[in-house]
Amino acid sequence: MCTSALWLVCVSLLLSPSRSCFQCFVESSVSSRLCSGHILTEHNVINVDACFRKLERIFNNDKRVIEAGRVGKGYDKQLKDILDSQILPVVEEFDTKKNKDTVYEERLQTAADNFISAASKLPRVTGCFPPCGFQSSGSVYNCVTCKYDSCEFPLDCPVKDVKVMESSRSQVRCEVPFTLPDDIEVIWRFAEEVKTQQGQFKELTAGVDRLYSIPSTSLHHQGTYQCEIYSGQHSIVRLYYYLTGCGGPHRAAGDIRPVSAPRRAFTPCTRWSSPLPPPPSLATASHRLFNFCASAALPLSGGSLFVITTRANQSH
């Protein structure tokens, strides 16, 4: 009867909303053995309920215990090993024996402190990098939920604008700030002209290359490029690049005449803003130089003519 009652206490504790690394890794049967001889000093009676409340306070409600358990992916087994190394010897010592609550307090608090010290030395992770991607390397173990917390970001990243010059070499690189698995596959897709995440994409390449190059950019390269990274059969992230460009008016091959009304093409390129004005054309510069020289020489010319005229009159 007593064993059944202890079991029910353990189950009720496990079903309570407050959890910790203790309840993630220590079986309820082990907890029952641990608390079976807990004596309230004041009344000199066994009180298992008080023992479980003590576990709740020392392990569940101590933020240091929960924070120490926030380890990187794959290190939850080490957490269990550390906790077992602290709890199981106490269980073996206390099993079928009676001990005062003050002894329990001291031994359990020491176990919690040792767990915090050892677990805090396990590898941490940098966490999740917003705003997108399934980042398994950023998952952190949560002693409150007894599982790894995922980043919970969408797979689709925001569209980035990429501006290029017509006829120039263009490149877009599929880069993410988080660690990728070794077995990735990269698929590049393209939606012509439109800026979209939901458009009709056609596949361009599939392989491991995260760099997509266009040797000579032209109008038909304008549109949205999607890079999707897979690991196994699972998509990790989808990145989008909207490529637009600028260039001069299009003309027929061999036509060297000016085009006053170009057909649909890249936006005409404009000069980057600069504190200095653009240099004048050769014709404009020559014209300005001629005007300056003429205006500067005018008084001298008049004087020269006057002298020449005077000399001519004297000769006559």
Side-chain angles (χ1 to χ4, degrees):
M1 180 68 178
C2 182
T3 304
S4 300
L6 289 175
W7 181 266
L8 288 174
V9 171
C10 291
V11 171
S12 64
L13 181 63
L14 287 172
L15 294 178
S16 66
S18 177
R19 298 172 67 87
S20 73
C21 286
F22 185 91
Q23 292 176 2
C24 292
F25 302 123
V26 178
E27 298 290 339
S28 58
S29 59
V30 175
S31 299
S32 297
R33 291 174 57 198
L34 175 65
C35 289
S36 61
H38 181 268
I39 296 178
L40 289 178
T41 303
E42 183 180 358
H43 304 289
N44 197 31
V45 295
I46 292 178
N47 191 315
V48 177
D49 232 11
C51 178
F52 280 108
R53 286 196 296 269
K54 199 182 304 292
L55 291 173
E56 177 86 5
R57 172 173 51 81
I58 294 176
F59 288 94
N60 291 10
N61 297 335
D62 192 333
K63 293 182 179 179
R64 298 177 305 152
V65 173
I66 296 174
E67 188 60 33
R70 294 181 64 80
V71 296
K73 188 73 173 178
Y75 287 96
D76 52 317
K77 184 180 184 302
Q78 282 86 335
L79 285 180
K80 176 175 171 53
D81 292 342
I82 292 172
L83 194 57
D84 284 346
S85 70
Q86 297 300 320
I87 295 298
L88 294 182
V90 180
V91 173
E92 293 299 323
E93 181 184 348
F94 285 8
D95 191 21
T96 69
K97 297 179 181 178
K98 297 178 182 179
N99 289 282
K100 293 183 178 181
D101 51 8
T102 53
V103 177
Y104 269 90
E105 178 77 23
E106 180 183 352
R107 297 297 297 277
L108 291 178
Q109 187 60 61
T110 299
D113 292 341
N114 290 342
F115 171 81
I116 293 169
S117 177
S120 298
K121 297 175 183 177
L122 291 176
R124 307 282 120 175
V125 292
T126 54
C128 303
F129 293 89
C132 53
F134 177 73
Q135 303 171 32
S136 59
S137 59
S139 299
V140 178
Y141 192 79
N142 190 339
C143 280
V144 176
T145 61
C146 299
K147 63 180 182 179
Y148 283 93
D149 291 341
S150 65
C151 298
E152 297 183 352
F153 292 141
L155 289 178
D156 294 294
C157 298
V159 181
K160 292 184 178 180
D161 292 328
V162 179
K163 298 186 182 297
V164 298
M165 289 284 292
E166 187 177 17
S167 301
S168 67
R169 182 181 182 84
S170 304
Q171 293 181 332
V172 282
R173 185 179 294 273
C174 198
E175 293 289 355
V176 292
F178 53 88
T179 304
L180 292 171
D182 295 330
D183 61 337
I184 64 168
E185 179 187 9
V186 181
I187 298 179
W188 284 96
R189 301 182 182 93
F190 176 61
E192 189 174 358
E193 296 186 13
V194 295
K195 183 177 184 178
T196 181
Q197 289 181 311
Q198 307 296 329
Q200 295 294 320
F201 288 90
K202 63 178 181 180
E203 187 172 313
L204 298 174
T205 64
V208 296
D209 197 349
R210 286 192 277 164
L211 179 67
Y212 188 80
S213 298
I214 304 171
S216 181
T217 310
S218 61
L219 180 63
H220 70 272
H221 292 118
Q222 188 166 264
T224 303
Y225 291 80
Q226 180 202 74
C227 163
E228 186 165 9
I229 301 178
Y230 289 88
S231 177
Q233 300 298 319
H234 302 287
S235 179
I236 296 177
V237 66
R238 288 188 289 260
L239 296 96
Y240 298 84
Y241 304 91
Y242 179 54
L243 188 146
T244 57
C246 67
H250 282 225
R251 63 191 76 211
D255 186 0
I256 62 173
R257 294 173 300 170
V259 179
S260 57
R263 59 185 174 85
R264 186 178 66 88
F266 279 126
T267 304
C269 293
T270 56
R271 188 179 301 277
W272 293 104
S273 59
S274 170
L276 298 176
S281 64
L282 182 59
T284 304
S286 300
H287 179 69
R288 289 177 178 173
L289 181 61
F290 173 79
N291 288 341
F292 172 78
C293 293
S295 61
L298 185 58
L300 296 176
S301 298
S304 299
L305 287 173
F306 177 77
V307 171
I308 293 172
T309 304
T310 303
R311 289 178 179 174
N313 292 335
Q314 289 177 348
S315 62
H316 284 81

